[in-house]
Amino acid sequence: AVEIEALRSFTYRVAWMVDQERKVIKEAAMLKLYGSEVYNRVADKAVQIHGGLGYIADYPVERFYRDARITRIYEGTSEIQKNIIASQLEKEYS
């Protein structure tokens, strides 16, 4: 619940920055990275809670877990997001 609330707050902050017409390249990459990481951790915990039933296709937890993994790949892999963040930080501090 803590991670989900932190993700929600971060999402609202980046949306506000967009509304203010600020540059959000770094923040958008951070949000994509953090969002996919939170989704994966939450889905993994859900499977753990459900035990063996978490892997059975009859339950939605199985699909959530499967779908969570793909978030690390599409919309730019987590590694690409990390590279974007690093390059933006380098620009800020050089």
Side-chain angles (χ1 to χ4, degrees):
V2 171
E3 286 188 295
I4 292 169
E5 192 59 37
L7 178 59
R8 179 179 291 122
S9 295
F10 191 21
T11 302
Y12 288 145
R13 178 174 176 263
V14 174
W16 176 82
M17 291 174 74
V18 170
D19 288 345
Q20 301 300 310
E21 299 180 1
R22 292 186 180 183
K23 187 176 176 183
V24 294
I25 295 170
K26 177 185 73 178
E27 289 79 6
M30 291 168 62
L31 184 56
K32 286 180 181 180
L33 175 64
Y34 187 59
S36 70
E37 288 179 351
V38 168
Y39 184 18
N40 276 273
R41 283 193 293 271
V42 169
D44 183 63
K45 288 176 186 177
V47 169
Q48 291 294 319
I49 289 168
H50 286 82
L53 295 176
Y55 288 101
I56 297 174
D58 294 342
Y59 295 92
V61 174
E62 178 270 338
R63 192 184 91 246
F64 298 148
Y65 185 74
R66 188 170 22 94
D67 291 349
R69 179 63 180 103
I70 197 70
T71 63
R72 293 181 184 167
I73 300 167
Y74 70 83
E75 291 294 327
T77 67
S78 293
E79 295 306 314
I80 290 172
Q81 300 305 327
K82 290 175 185 177
N83 288 338
I84 292 169
I85 295 163
S87 69
Q88 291 300 308
L89 287 171
E90 186 176 44
K91 285 179 185 178
E92 285 179 28
Y93 293 102
S94 56

